[in-house]
């Protein structure tokens, strides 16, 4: 390929290649834009950049990789949530093969000990067909959350985007929420959390709920930290079997974590006879389940 | 990959063996000859590799693991490591085709990724092969048009109207794909081709919720041969929807600030009422001493 | 009118008998030292819990409330008897309870105070206790419970103190051989009481207000405690009769506690003439009455969900009647409630010693009953317990938990015995009043 034309052709291809790359970068920026829309600039926060430098940056110019060192900013942001969104999850039980990649990703993201589950894949009995199926169970992020109702100190709360979070700077460890949750979705730091020394200096981010704190409650947060960056939750993107869909109910769009295919939420629910867990309790979960089917092989 | 040539024979033998044993996901997956010879219209550069890496980590790592680490998920058939020879010995076109079309437990990414994004992933996979030299298509005499697009919405027929031009001339037979940009991915509205007037129509479901003004964020891609164009636009296409906060109103589960009024009032009236009486009694106890002096 | 105190007693004899116990004998000091030492030993385990977190207990994610919460419920329950005896029966002018009113009020104060304290041992972050006051959330039953427990302790203390004013004045005037600080304390607390008619009028008025006020507060303290459970969606707790169920159970535990205290004071303080066999007989009958009501509620609690047998309830009821909890369940129901109830129906069983022994069993049963209310519901969650350590499918309290429980009981004994040493345990002026009244 050593002729004169080669050089010019290469150049041309290069131009196109750059165009392609910038197109994708453009879409990433769009997501950044939508998550930043609630922030007013002129508000500065301390940030630890990817190359370990402590700098002050404007809130509007935060990058996804930056580690924010400002507790009060993180607390305020965590309680406020993302305006205009209502996050939902759809779990396709027919696809779950108990690979447990979701559990692993969740436990490593949230610094959980092996017996602590924000997300637990259960083997459920199917009394009608006398078989069993796998059911990943997260926090249901109820619209009538019994756990939030009973909290004595506003440590657990529901945000405008529907996510139920815990503030571990506030929690007194009474475990009333653990007792009140009919889905057993909550877990407690009975002893010193995993790698607590390593995380001693890390600024607490309630959206990730790390570092975990001894004597406080923790639970699934719909990966509020990832969602803010326009990324799918840890469990959703870790699944190899296309079990999870995650998205915004207001947009009526959910995206599959494995295939990245985006579908209409209403159609997905209607076509597959979706249900929620124990609807008779009136908790109004934000997690929908598509029923398990006979394995196709 | 350094000794790839020395081991090629052995590996080929192994591959044949695996194919016979029917446990390998790659070797018995036929790719149409035309697809097999398909070549990337883009030069694989660092930018493409970077973009491809993001897509790979989001969509592929869960099964194939990190390339070169052999940490793919044990499945039947095994998905394999993309850095391994069973991947790298395939043509770019074959990789592209397999990612795009999927098979069995390998999902079909046709709807999730546009062609250029699929090529990004191929570029990323190739970045693990030091011996790889990108085969380039023969571009001699090919002129690549620069497309521009105009988008509009016809609310009589609920269709998105895409007009494609190159040098102010309408372009026929251009493939058009239109997406709605969701928070986490893009939803395929539809695919079409421009007619002789350079116009393509794509159906829009009017029941799709827009924002407060009925706007949807639309992304349209046009491609024909090596000619490509892409466009993002916010367009009024559907009914406006008011996005309510999930915590509107006063509920038992609201924060203390938003507690139901009846509850707050009755709680504080009761507590302060009782403590007022207690305080009255405690202060009133002074009267016992006073009673002494009065009568004395 | 008073049939229970039959003996002819002179006023000076009464003063002498009832003030006798107010002193610091060697035996008492030994008892105090014993209590203090055991308390310190037990508190060492609490120190351990503070250091290592609640992980030192047998609690886990599926039984996150254990015997600490049972303790709390038990203490709140027992303290309710103060309201029943001094208020309900007092307002109805049931005169035989008058000599017992102070014992009941003492039980109420001691148990309610310790209930307020013991709940802190259940907190994962006791260092953040102030958050409840800084960020208190008016919708949470815990906030209601704290408000109402604090109020109940305050009313109970006032209700113990105000009717005791004449007796404190008596202590101030008659007890000259007690330490100086004690004399000063009496002088301060007596508020210059001199037995004037107006003073009696003020005292009667205030006592009456408090006696009326304490009825709704006492009912709500235990109703709210029951709501800690009933306000959840868990089968076994999700029951609208939990309020009255808890209140009726509270009277059983309280009656038993008062009977035990009566026996203890009668024997140690030689008060045979004031706490008579007849008092025991009547308290025994009261226990029969409240136990009967409690049995009725127990039947409701089991039969109604058991009959309908919806999925989760059926599992819970089955566990209780035949499953893992059945041994404790039947021991508590039969041994701790039904059999004692049947026994006390017979007059000989209402004599002091047998009644006290039965009361001890009833009180122990009442504690285990609280464990049965708290724990089994959590062991039958709606979704199966999986992917957790094997021992998370049941619950057994650990040594620190038991030690801290023992500490709470020691604390109750400590408060009661110290108060009983500082003040006369029988309302002297009321006894005198009754006897004078009878003479006329």
């Amino acid at each position: 390929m050593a002729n004169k034309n080669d050089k010019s052709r290469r150049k041309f291809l290069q131009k196109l290649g750059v165009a392609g790359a910038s197109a994708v970068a453009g879409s990433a920026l769009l997501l950044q834009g939508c998550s930043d829309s609630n922030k007013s600039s002129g508000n500065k926060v301390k940030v630890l950049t990817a190359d370990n430098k402590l700098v002050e940056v404007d809130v509007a110019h935060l990058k996804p990789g930056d580690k924010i060192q400002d507790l009060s900013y993180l607390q305020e942001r965590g309680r406020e949530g993302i305006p205009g969104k209502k996050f939902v999850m759809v779990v396709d039980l027919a696809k779950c093969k108990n690979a447990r990649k979701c559990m692993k990703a969740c436990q490593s993201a949230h610094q959980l000990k092996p017996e602590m589950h924000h997300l637990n894949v259960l083997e459920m009995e199917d009394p009608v067909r006398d078989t069993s199926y796998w059911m990943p169970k997260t926090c249901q992020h109820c619209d009538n959350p019994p756990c939030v109702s009973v909290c004595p100190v506003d440590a657990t709360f529901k945000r405008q985007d529907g996510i139920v979070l815990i503030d571990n700077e506030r929690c007194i460890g009474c475990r009333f929420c653990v007792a009140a949750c009919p889905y057993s979705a909550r877990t407690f730091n009975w002893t010193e959390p995993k790698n607590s020394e390593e995380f001693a200096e890390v600024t607490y981010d309630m959206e990730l709920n790390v570092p975990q704190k001894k004597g406080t409650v923790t639970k699934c947060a719909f990966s509020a930290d990832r969602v803010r960056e326009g990324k799918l939750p840890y469990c959703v993107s870790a699944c190899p079997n296309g079990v999870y869909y995650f998205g915004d109910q207001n947009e009526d769009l959910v995206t599959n974590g494995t295939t990245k295919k985006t579908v209409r939420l209403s159609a997905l629910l209607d076509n597959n006879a979706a249900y929620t867990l124990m609807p008779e309790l009136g908790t109004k979960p934000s997690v929908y389940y598509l029923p398990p089917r006979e394995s196709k092989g | 990959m350094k000794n790839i040539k020395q081991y090629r024979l052995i590996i080929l033998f192994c591959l044949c063996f695996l194919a016979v044993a029917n446990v390998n996901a790659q070797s018995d997956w036929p790719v149409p000859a035309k697809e097999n010879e398909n070549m990337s219209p883009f030069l694989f550069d660092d930018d493409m590799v970077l973009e491809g890496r993001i897509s790979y980590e989001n969509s592929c790592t869960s099964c194939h693991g990190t390339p070169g680490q052999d940490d793919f998920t044990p499945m039947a058939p095994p998905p394999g490591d993309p850095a391994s020879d069973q991947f790298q010995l395939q043509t770019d076109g074959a990789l592209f085709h397999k990612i795009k079309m999927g098979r069995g437990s390998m999902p079909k990414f046709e709807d999730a990724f546009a062609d250029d994004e699929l090529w990004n992933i191929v570029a990323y996979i190739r970045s693990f092969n030091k011996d790889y030299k990108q085969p380039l298509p023969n571009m001699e005499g090919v002129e690549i048009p620069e497309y521009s697009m105009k988008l509009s919405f016809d609310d009589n027929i609920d269709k998105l109207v895409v007009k494609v031009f190159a040098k102010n001339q309408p372009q026929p037979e251009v493939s058009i794909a239109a997406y709605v940009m969701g928070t986490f991915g893009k939803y395929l509205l539809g695919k079409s081709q421009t007619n002789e007037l350079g116009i393509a129509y794509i159906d829009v479901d009017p029941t799709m919720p827009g924002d407060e003004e009925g706007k949807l964020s639309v992304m349209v891609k046009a491609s024909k041969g090596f000619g490509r164009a892409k466009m993002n636009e916010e367009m009024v296409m559907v009914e406006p929807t008011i996005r309510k906060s999930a915590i509107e109103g006063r509920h038992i589960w609201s924060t203390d600030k938003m507690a139901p009024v009846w509850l707050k009032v009755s709680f504080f009236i009761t507590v302060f009422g009782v403590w007022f009486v207690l305080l009255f009694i405690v202060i009133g106890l002074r009267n016992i001493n006073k009673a002494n002096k009065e009568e004395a | 009118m008073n049939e229970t105190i039959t003996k002819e007693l002179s006023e000076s004899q009464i003063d002498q008998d009832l003030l006798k116990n107010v002193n610091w004998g060697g035996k008492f000091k030994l008892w105090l030292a014993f209590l203090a030492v055991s308390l310190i030993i037990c508190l060492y385990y609490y120190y351990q819990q503070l250091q290592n977190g609640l992980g030192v207990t047998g609690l886990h994610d599926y039984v996150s409330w254990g015997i600490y919460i049972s303790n709390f419920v038990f203490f709140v329950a027992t303290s309710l008897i103060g309201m029943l005896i001094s208020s309900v029966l007092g307002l109805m002018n049931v005169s035989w309870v008058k000599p017992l009113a102070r014992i009941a009020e003492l039980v109420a104060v001691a148990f309610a105070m310790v209930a307020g304290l013991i709940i802190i041992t259940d907190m994962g972050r006791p260092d953040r206790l102030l958050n409840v006051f800084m960020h208190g959330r008016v919708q949470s039953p815990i906030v209601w419970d704290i408000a109402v427990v604090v109020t109940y302790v305050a009313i109970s203390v006032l209700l113990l103190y105000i009717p005791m004013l004449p007796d404190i004045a008596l202590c101030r005037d008659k007890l000259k051989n007690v330490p100086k600080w004690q004399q000063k304390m009496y002088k301060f607390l007596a508020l210059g009481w001199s037995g004037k008619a107006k003073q009696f009028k003020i005292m009667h008025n205030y006592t009456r207000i408090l006696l009326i006020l304490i009825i709704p507060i006492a009912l709500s303290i235990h109703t709210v405690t029951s709501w800690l459970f009933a306000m959840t969606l868990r089968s076994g707790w999700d029951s609208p009769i939990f309020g009255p169920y808890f209140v009726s159970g509270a009277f059983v535990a309280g009656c038993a506690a008062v009977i035990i205290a009566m026996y203890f004071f009668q024997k140690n303080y030689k008060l045979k003439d004031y706490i008579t066999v007849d008092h025991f007989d009547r308290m025994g009958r009261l226990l029969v009455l409240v136990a009967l009501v409690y049995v009725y509620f127990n039947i409701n609690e089991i039969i109604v969900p058991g009959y309908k047998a919806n999925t989760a309830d059926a599992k819970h009821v089955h566990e209780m009647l035949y499953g893992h909890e059945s041994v404790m369940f039947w021991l508590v129901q039969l041994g701790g409630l039904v059999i004692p109830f049947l026994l006390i129906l017979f007059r000989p069983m209402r004599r002091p010693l047998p009644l006290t022994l039965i009361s001890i069993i009833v009180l122990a049963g009442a504690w285990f009953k609280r464990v049965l209310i708290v724990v089994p519901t959590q062991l039958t969650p709606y979704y199966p317990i999986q992917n957790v350590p094997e021992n998370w499918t049941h619950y057994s309290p650990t040594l620190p938990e038991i030690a801290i429980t023992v500490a709470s009981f020691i604390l109750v004994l400590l408060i009661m015995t110290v108060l009983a040493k500082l003040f006369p345990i029988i309302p002297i002026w009321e006894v005198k009043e009754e006897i004078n009244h009878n003479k006329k």
Side-chain angles (χ1 to χ4, degrees), chain B residues 8-29:
Chain B
R8 188 166 279 182
L9 212 74
I10 303 167
I11 289 158
L12 269 173
F13 176 78
C14 290
L15 284 177
C16 291
F17 173 76
L18 287 170
V20 170
N22 196 24
V23 290
N24 186 282
Q26 301 299 323
S27 45
D28 61 344
W29 187 344

Side-chain angles (χ1 to χ4, degrees), chain C residues 20-160:
Chain C
K20 201 167 53 192
N21 71 298
V22 185
N23 65 60
W24 301 79
K27 240 164 90 185
F28 177 72
K29 278 180 185 157
L30 208 65
W31 165 243
L32 216 56
F34 166 73
L35 285 182
V37 168
S38 12
L39 188 65
I40 286 165
I41 293 171
C42 292
L43 284 181
Y44 166 74
Y45 286 97
Y46 185 58
Y47 172 74
Q48 258 195 359
Q49 183 181 309
L50 285 178
Q51 288 293 305
N52 304 323
L54 281 167
V56 301
T57 64
L59 299 168
H60 48 79
D61 286 350
Y62 288 90
V63 179
S64 69
W65 281 355
I67 61 173
Y68 292 154
I69 296 288
S70 311
N71 284 340
F72 171 71
V73 178
F74 174 79
F75 284 117
V76 171
T78 312
S79 76
L80 230 62
I81 192 66
M83 176 273 274
L84 180 70
I85 289 189
S86 55
S87 176
V88 175
L89 299 182
L91 286 172
M92 286 160 78
N93 263 334
V94 179
S95 55
W96 64 266
V97 299
K98 281 189 180 166
L100 307 180
R102 193 165 293 161
I103 294 179
E105 219 40 73
L106 205 59
V107 168
V109 168
F111 278 82
M113 276 178 158
V114 175
L117 273 179
I118 196 72
I119 197 68
I120 296 172
T121 63
D122 188 63
M123 289 172 65
R125 299 295 299 240
D127 52 315
R128 295 182 181 169
L129 183 64
L130 281 181
N131 277 7
V132 181
F133 302 96
M134 277 153 48
H135 305 288
R137 201 170 152 275
V138 75
Q139 298 101 311
S140 173
I142 285 188
V143 169
W144 309 341
D145 218 7
I146 289 170
V148 90
V149 167
V150 171
T151 312
Y152 185 72
V153 170
I155 299 184
S156 292
V157 168
L158 284 177
L159 210 45
L160 180 67

